[in-house]
Amino acid sequence: MKLKQLEGLLGGLTQFPNPKLELEQYPTGPHIASRMLYTAENSFDDITGKVVADFGCGCGTLAVASALLDAEHVLGIDIDPQSLELAQENAADLELDIDLIWSDIKSLNFKVLPVDTVVMNPPFGTRKRGADMEFLAMGLKVASKAVYSLHKTSTREHIKRMALRGCNAISAEVLCELRYDLPHMYKFHNKKEVDIAVDLWRFVPNARR
Amino acid sequence: MRLLTHNMLASNVRGATTGYPLKLEASNWCTKEVELNADFIRGLLPKIDWRALVATTRALGLPDLLPDEQPPEEEIFAKGAADVEGSAIRRIHHALLEIHVQQGSLTCPDTNRSFPIDKGIPNMMLHEDEV
């Protein structure tokens, strides 16, 4: 599938009608999501024919993108049941099958680990300190091949240190810097649109278990 | 929820030792055909728990879908096996990827805490006093 096609299909997904502030529910826009998954597949062979998990899947953009790129099994996990319902509808609209689990990321317990790749747009940890790290730590525990994630560029050094030292990752690489257009969603956003720099990361977990 | 997802999940409720495998009960499930990918199954088999998978197929009332012991790999991946109706690889593929549980529950073997499955989505949320 071409990048433009992927971006187009993701642009048709329904996003959160009432985003929840405490969960930092920012939609992953089609521009960023398509580039993230397209790079994961075309540069690293991490999606097609793989087991892919989307942590904090929200309305399922990254999970749907994985399924569109022919991941063999896609798993989306979120704490918010309304988001999961939306994710299910989004997948069904495109005649895709994704599995969904209603759970907190930090209390996930997987006994066997067939997940190859974790993709996520985690909370940036702005409202709840450390939320981004909980996601990253769990991603690096669950994935055997790679973790793709978005983090604010302003936290780059911290993320790198945490991934390599704190979570024992083999490598932590910024693939590109993207502009994240936050639409005016919450009351504390006083500008009409907030444009922040985010890094697209690829982490390689230490898969010797 | 496919049975592959079930195979991964354990309960994390306080008091559980392994929390695995979760006992499956299903009041409603369906099947959807998916193209068989032998390389995918080959990579997946060593990572999953065979006994837990067998238990789920039995819980769905499919006593003959999978044998108690995993068949040898030479048999599963024998040349042409993927094209033979009822071959081991076709059954394994069917069990892992083509069965979808819509309604039912998952029960923690250690604590008997039950996690409902509604519209295909297992609810693994814990209350504050269960963490």
Side-chain angles (χ1 to χ4, degrees):
Chain A
M1 181 177 295
K2 295 208 171 77
L3 177 61
K4 281 280 158 211
Q5 244 177 312
L6 181 64
E7 185 174 350
L9 288 167
L10 297 179
L13 302 180
T14 310
Q15 303 289 341
F16 310 109
N18 306 300
K20 296 191 175 77
L21 175 61
E22 70 280 11
L23 298 176
E24 295 190 49
Q25 287 181 333
Y26 302 119
T28 318
H31 178 84
I32 288 187
S34 57
R35 270 141 195 89
M36 186 171 179
L37 272 292
Y38 194 79
T39 306
E41 175 50 27
N42 289 278
S43 303
F44 299 99
D45 197 17
D46 282 336
I47 306 296
T48 304
K50 302 291 187 294
V51 177
V52 179
D54 178 356
F55 280 7
C57 65
C59 45
T61 308
L62 299 177
V64 163
S66 306
L68 285 169
L69 294 179
D70 295 319
E72 202 72 31
H73 181 68
V74 180
L75 193 55
I77 301 134
D78 206 281
I79 195 171
D80 176 40
Q82 279 98 42
S83 294
L84 290 169
E85 254 177 60
L86 213 51
Q88 205 163 41
E89 284 168 24
N90 277 330
D93 285 348
L94 291 169
E95 295 180 345
L96 301 167
D97 271 309
I98 59 175
D99 267 21
L100 298 165
I101 301 173
W102 182 7
S103 176
D104 197 340
I105 292 300
K106 68 173 188 291
S107 59
L108 266 185
N109 190 8
F110 288 146
K111 176 73 187 328
V112 302
L113 296 170
V115 174
D116 297 293
T117 307
V118 167
V119 293
M120 59 189 185
N121 178 13
F124 291 140
T126 316
R127 309 296 297 183
K128 186 185 162 214
R129 268 184 83 83
D132 49 347
M133 287 304 140
E134 277 173 8
F135 275 65
L136 182 57
M138 190 56 91
L140 283 164
K141 222 162 106 178
V142 167
S144 64
K145 281 201 80 187
V147 176
Y148 292 85
S149 185
L150 298 166
H151 299 275
K152 279 197 213 172
T153 301
S154 59
T155 60
R156 188 178 289 180
E157 288 314 309
H158 175 62
I159 298 284
K160 183 151 202 151
R161 200 167 51 242
M162 289 307 288
L164 296 176
R165 292 198 205 145
C167 308
N168 207 19
I170 287 172
S171 73
E173 189 191 347
V174 174
L175 300 179
C176 64
E177 202 178 297
L178 298 155
R179 308 301 302 179
Y180 200 111
D181 302 325
L182 288 181
H184 183 79
M185 285 169 39
Y186 299 125
K187 283 202 189 103
F188 66 88
H189 291 156
N190 37 29
K191 284 189 214 153
K192 196 150 190 229
E193 237 177 41
V194 193
D195 198 24
I196 56 166
V198 294
D199 292 335
L200 168 57
W201 286 86
R202 181 176 190 265
F203 304 97
V204 175
N206 186 341
R208 281 173 299 157
R209 302 187 221 272
Chain B
M1 185 194 69
R2 290 170 169 176
L3 298 189
L4 174 54
T5 296
H6 170 277
N7 208 265
M8 299 166 62
L9 273 181
S11 109
N12 213 4
V13 68
R14 187 161 62 180
T17 45
T18 64
Y20 189 89
L22 293 165
K23 187 167 173 271
L24 173 69
E25 278 174 75
S27 57
N28 184 16
W29 57 277
C30 64
T31 60
K32 284 185 207 168
E33 217 172 290
V34 182
E35 202 177 321
L36 190 149
N37 176 346
D39 287 337
F40 176 73
I41 303 286
R42 192 191 291 274
L44 192 60
L45 262 190
K47 297 179 191 163
I48 62 158
D49 187 308
W50 180 264
R51 281 169 191 275
L53 179 65
V54 173
T56 50
T57 59
R58 307 260 158 105
L60 297 178
L62 305 168
D64 304 319
L65 183 61
L66 298 177
D68 287 335
E69 297 298 329
Q70 184 181 315
E73 293 210 357
E74 310 87 84
E75 184 194 325
I76 300 173
F77 300 107
K79 208 163 174 249
D83 301 320
V84 179
E85 187 76 37
S87 63
I89 190 166
R90 293 266 289 252
R91 287 158 180 264
I92 293 166
H93 165 77
H94 180 68
L96 284 168
L97 297 175
E98 295 189 324
I99 294 172
H100 297 257
V101 177
Q102 299 296 342
Q103 295 292 137
S105 64
L106 301 168
T107 304
C108 171
D110 303 324
T111 61
N112 279 328
R113 163 72 146 88
S114 172
F115 301 90
I117 304 168
D118 185 30
K119 294 184 197 130
I121 304 175
N123 172 0
M124 303 304 293
M125 293 294 288
L126 298 173
H127 302 295
E128 260 171 50
D129 60 352
E130 293 179 311
V131 179

